[in-house]
Amino acid sequence: SQKIEQNSEALNIQEGKTATLTCNYTNYSPAYLQWYRQDPGRGPVFLLLIRENEKEKRKERLKVTFDTTLKQSLFHITASQPADSATYLCHHTSGTYKYIFGTGTRLKVLA
Amino acid sequence: DAMVIQNPRYQVTQFGKPVTLSCSQTLNHNVMYWYQQKSSQAPKLLFHYYDKDFNNEADTPDNFQSRRPNTSFCFLDIRSPGLGDAAMYLCATSPRLGNHEKLFFGSGTQLSVL
């Protein structure tokens, strides 16, 4: 079955450093991957979408890469700030409109 | 501001007592979704409406039903809540049904079952 996996352990990094989060998928090849941010007790908020034929997408301090050979997407936050602390979810849709979220990685940026 | 609104933010119900969660949107989106999210888990899609067409996920229990009386409103009915149904319920919308569509979420309703 299709699976999308994120590192469920929390990631703690120092303010100003680059945070890198990983999303791995197995048994399928998504046409698109999306990344969302979720704060405690709130709904997810869309951040970035990357297509399978795009290697990289950027938005301000955010960067997403998509490696179809490794079956992996990396999400980077450069010059991280305490306000970036949240859970980050990857989400995929495939040709059959199968919507699947990863479990998310909790990021904590230490001041 | 256009948005997705869920009411109430917190809902407490008793074991077996029917409960309805509501969602409204001012985005005029065609698609509305309901997700269930348990603590430290991924949001899980229960079903979605594309306009008036209802699409149930294969593993969604029969205990969960939904209604969409018009474009703006969508309801989640849990007919006989069990303790295992305690979770955050998230409503989301998208303009159309498609692989590249991004989802717009409400703030969720946290359901407790006593």
Side-chain angles (χ1 to χ4, degrees):
Chain A
S1 62
Q2 298 172 345
K3 283 186 72 175
I4 190 165
E5 294 177 336
Q6 295 182 256
N7 188 347
S8 59
E9 293 180 12
L11 176 64
N12 293 337
I13 65 164
Q14 208 64 38
E15 182 177 9
K17 300 291 186 185
T18 295
T20 298
L21 287 67
T22 305
C23 179
N24 295 299
Y25 51 92
T26 56
N27 299 331
Y28 67 102
S29 295
Y32 301 84
L33 269 173
Q34 301 182 21
W35 283 88
Y36 289 77
R37 169 184 172 141
Q38 186 174 25
D39 290 288
R42 314 295 291 185
V45 175
F46 172 80
L47 296 174
L48 281 168
L49 176 149
I50 187 164
R51 295 172 171 77
E52 63 178 343
N53 60 354
E54 296 176 320
K55 289 215 179 314
E56 183 179 294
K57 199 75 159 294
R58 290 176 184 262
K59 178 183 175 183
E60 297 171 353
R61 294 185 296 111
L62 309 180
K63 183 177 84 171
V64 174
T65 62
F66 198 169
D67 189 325
T68 54
T69 303
L70 294 178
K71 292 185 179 296
Q72 184 179 80
S73 175
L74 298 180
F75 177 82
H76 306 272
I77 306 175
T78 59
S80 59
Q81 304 165 1
D84 295 326
S85 299
T87 295
Y88 291 86
L89 300 157
C90 66
H91 171 272
H92 101 94
T93 52
S94 71
T96 54
Y97 302 141
K98 186 70 176 174
Y99 302 102
I100 300 175
F101 274 98
T103 51
T105 299
R106 190 158 43 91
L107 172 68
K108 186 168 184 180
V109 181
L110 306 169
Chain B
D1 285 341
M3 55 197 332
V4 181
I5 302 165
Q6 290 188 246
N7 284 306
R9 286 281 284 127
Y10 302 93
Q11 176 74 56
V12 180
T13 191
Q14 290 181 334
F15 183 92
K17 185 175 181 180
V19 65
T20 295
L21 309 181
S22 66
C23 177
S24 64
Q25 55 128 342
T26 59
L27 297 163
N28 204 32
H29 284 172
N30 286 321
V31 193
M32 295 187 78
Y33 309 80
W34 280 104
Y35 283 84
Q36 178 193 63
Q37 187 177 27
K38 296 186 177 180
S39 182
S40 300
Q41 293 186 20
K44 180 180 179 297
L45 181 64
L46 297 173
F47 25 59
H48 73 266
Y49 270 97
Y50 178 46
D51 197 12
K52 294 181 181 179
D53 292 333
F54 178 70
N55 296 271
N56 201 28
E57 290 299 299
D59 56 355
T60 298
D62 292 340
N63 198 26
F64 292 87
Q65 304 285 323
S66 186
R67 296 170 283 134
R68 189 179 185 186
N70 53 52
T71 301
S72 301
F73 286 88
C74 195
F75 301 97
L76 170 62
D77 300 308
I78 308 177
R79 293 194 296 191
S80 181
L83 298 179
D85 296 328
M88 171 77 87
Y89 289 88
L90 295 162
C91 174
T93 70
S94 65
R96 289 161 295 277
L97 196 62
N99 296 333
H100 59 287
E101 295 293 335
K102 65 182 183 183
L103 303 175
F104 296 78
F105 282 88
S107 292
T109 294
Q110 184 68 50
L111 178 68
S112 299
V113 182
L114 304 180

